[in-house]
Amino acid sequence: MPNAGFVLNNRSGGFTSGRNTFAPGKRPVHTLAPIMIERDEAIIDLSKPGVDGQVQGLLQVLLATVGRGEDLSEVVAAPRWRSEDGKLLVEAGHLARDTLAGLDRRIVDIPAGDMRFGAITAGGRKGETPFTLGDWRSTTWAGVA
């Protein structure tokens, strides 16, 4: 079928407990939340493996790059935060750690590179030049063919 698109996946393993418990007609929290950005003669795809922390990490990268104009590779390498079970996990070296703590949140300091922060991957092109980027936090691969 020309111009037909199909998305197939098996996400039943994504059910956990609480609000994400299996039930008839219910879908699990999805762990695929890619982002495509088109701006300044560039197309950038961002993705992040992970479960509930995925959207949190992608949002931080999106706000820093598109919202504040920061360099994508520096943003991906920078420390991140994420919420988990009512706590705010803050990766070591995060510049806003004290500000986050001042927001009356239960802060848990986490070593840099902890797997709970996941890994961002990116690819795209700026003008005619293709690029890819893999996060240092996990075994990710990046390359242009």
Side-chain angles (χ1 to χ4, degrees):
M1 295 170 65
N3 300 321
F6 297 93
V7 176
L8 304 173
N9 68 52
N10 179 1
R11 300 308 305 162
S12 293
F15 284 112
T16 55
S17 60
R19 287 187 247 156
N20 194 36
T21 301
F22 177 80
K26 191 171 175 186
R27 296 180 182 177
V29 171
H30 211 291
T31 62
L32 302 173
I35 297 173
M36 180 180 281
I37 305 165
E38 292 185 66
R39 66 187 305 243
D40 300 330
E41 301 193 24
I43 297 174
I44 304 168
D45 294 320
L46 296 172
S47 64
K48 178 181 178 302
V51 187
D52 57 338
Q54 181 183 46
V55 175
Q56 297 172 54
L58 286 173
L59 180 61
Q60 290 170 68
V61 171
L62 183 65
L63 289 174
T65 56
V66 175
R68 297 190 300 269
E70 296 177 23
D71 178 74
L72 178 62
S73 61
E74 291 178 13
V75 169
V76 168
R80 293 194 280 270
W81 59 265
R82 64 162 290 167
S83 63
E84 181 180 271
D85 298 326
K87 299 173 288 221
L88 191 61
L89 310 184
V90 180
E91 194 170 18
H94 198 292
L95 296 177
R97 189 247 181 248
D98 293 339
T99 301
L100 294 168
L103 298 173
D104 200 25
R105 301 281 184 218
R106 247 174 69 206
I107 299 289
V108 178
D109 294 307
I110 303 292
D114 189 283
M115 286 301 297
R116 287 176 281 186
F117 295 103
I120 303 283
T121 57
R125 69 174 166 77
K126 184 163 186 168
E128 297 300 313
T129 306
F131 69 89
T132 60
L133 182 136
D135 196 330
W136 64 272
R137 288 174 182 83
S138 183
T139 306
T140 59
W141 296 82
V144 175

